[in-house]
Amino acid sequence: MKKLIVANWKMNPKTIDEARKLVSSWEHRVSTVSGHVDVVVCAPFVYLPALSHYTQGVLIGAQNASWEELGALTGEVSALMLRQWNVKYVILGHSERRLYLGETDSMVNAKILACLKQKITPIVCLGEELTEQFHAVTKRLDVRQLEKIVYVYEPASAISTMKNSKPVSGEDSAKKIDQIRELLKHKIGRMPYNVRILYGGTVNKLNVHEYAKFPNIDGALVGAASLESENFWEIVKEFNRESIHRG
Ligand code: PGA
C-alpha cells in the first residue's frame, strides 16, 4: 500500500501565486516518488480553481465540505461543488474546526457520507477521544464505506500551533494507529489492510524519521511544514525512502 502525505494548508498562504508556486515546486518531483507515495494538497476553497489542473502529480484536496448537496446553508461549500474542481480528498473533523467552529461528531458523520456519495475520499481526523470519536463519526457506514476513508490520529495537543503543544512520539502514534486498525477490524469483521491510517501533529523534516520508520504509520497530515516547499518535500522523501527500504 502506498504511503500518503497530506498538506493541510489551513487558512494559508496569503495569495494564489504563493499557492501555485508551492504546488509547482513539488509537481515535477512527485513522479520520482509516485511508486510509493501519494501527495495531496488540501488548499483553501478559493485556491482550488487555480490548482485544479494538477491532476497527474499532486492531488488536490479541500479542508471541509457540507453535509448537504445544495440549499440554504450560507457560507458552506458542498462535496458536489468540490468535485467539479477535481477535488479527490477532503479533511473532515479536524480538531481546529471542532474547537473553534463547533463541529460535532454527527456533523462529521454526515459530511463523510456526503463526500463518499461524490466519490471524494474523506480524511477523517481522530484526536484524544479516539475510540468515542471513531464510533460516532462512522455511524451508519457500511464495510465498503469504512474502507474508503483515510483515518488520521491527530490529538489537538500535538498540533504545532496549539499553546504548549507536544508531538506524540513515533512509538505512541504507532500504537494509536494500531488501535484504530483494531477498531476497524472489529467493525468490518476482518483486518483492513488496504486502509491508510496516518499520524498528524508537528511532523517536519527534522522529526519525520521518527514516524516514517514505523511500517504501520501509513503517512502524515502536515500543517505548518507544508507551507515550506523543502520542509514538506523532505517529509515526502523520507516516507518514500523507508517504503523502498522495506520493499
Ligand atoms: P501541524 O498541523 O503539522 O502544524 O502540527 C497539523 C494539522 O493541524 O493538521
Side-chain angles (χ1 to χ4, degrees), residues 189-202:
R190 61 182 146 78
M191 206 58 184
Y193 285 115
N194 289 320
V195 177
R196 293 190 279 201
I197 310 176
L198 322 180
Y199 166 71
T202 321

Side-chain angles (χ1 to χ4, degrees), residues 13 41 65 75 86 112 136 141 149 162 164 166 176 178 184 189 202 204 218:
V41 173
N86 254 321
I112 292 175
L141 268 64
I149 296 173
M162 293 281 177
N164 302 324
K166 194 173 173 286
K176 294 289 185 181
D178 272 345
L184 266 171
T202 321
N204 55 51
D218 299 318

Side-chain angles (χ1 to χ4, degrees), residues 8 10 94 96 154 158-161 200-203 221-225:
N8 177 12
K10 312 191 180 184
H94 191 280
E96 286 157 9
E154 183 178 81
I159 294 174
S160 66
T161 46
T202 321
V203 179
L221 178 61
V222 184

Side-chain angles (χ1 to χ4, degrees), residues 3 12 17 31 33 42 53 55 58 60 64 69 76 91 93 112 120 123 135 151 164 168 211 218 234-235 242:
K3 300 287 175 180
N12 297 293
D17 264 1
S31 60
V33 300
C42 294
H53 63 278
T55 48
V58 177
I60 300 302
N64 181 34
E69 278 183 9
E76 286 297 286
I91 298 172
I112 292 175
I120 292 175
I123 300 172
H135 288 301
Y151 300 85
N164 302 324
V168 180
Y211 305 101
D218 299 318
E234 287 300 319
I235 296 168
E242 280 294 331

Side-chain angles (χ1 to χ4, degrees), residues 118-143:
Q118 299 302 328
K119 301 201 167 19
I120 292 175
T121 303
I123 300 172
V124 176
C125 302
L126 303 168
E128 276 90 352
E129 316 280 302
L130 195 158
T131 307
E132 293 83 349
Q133 281 180 354
F134 173 84
H135 288 301
V137 303
T138 58
K139 243 188 218 159
R140 298 180 290 151
L141 268 64
D142 63 29
V143 171

Side-chain angles (χ1 to χ4, degrees), residues 34-140:
S34 60
H36 296 271
V37 184
D38 288 326
V39 177
V40 176
V41 173
C42 294
F45 290 139
V46 289
Y47 295 159
L48 296 174
L51 303 178
S52 68
H53 63 278
Y54 293 94
T55 48
Q56 291 306 315
V58 177
L59 298 162
I60 300 302
Q63 302 168 17
N64 181 34
S66 173
W67 56 80
E68 294 287 355
E69 278 183 9
L70 291 169
L73 270 171
T74 305
E76 286 297 286
V77 171
S78 73
L80 176 81
M81 295 166 178
L82 292 174
R83 217 175 97 165
Q84 299 166 59
W85 293 114
N86 254 321
V87 167
K88 305 282 189 240
Y89 293 83
V90 172
I91 298 172
L92 294 177
H94 191 280
S95 55
E96 286 157 9
R97 293 196 61 85
R98 291 173 181 272
L99 224 61
Y100 308 133
L101 297 158
E103 191 152 291
T104 63
D105 285 333
S106 65
M107 289 181 199
V108 177
N109 175 242
K111 289 175 178 200
I112 292 175
L113 286 162
C115 284
L116 289 172
K117 190 171 170 208
Q118 299 302 328
K119 301 201 167 19
I120 292 175
T121 303
I123 300 172
V124 176
C125 302
L126 303 168
E128 276 90 352
E129 316 280 302
L130 195 158
T131 307
E132 293 83 349
Q133 281 180 354
F134 173 84
H135 288 301
V137 303
T138 58
K139 243 188 218 159
R140 298 180 290 151

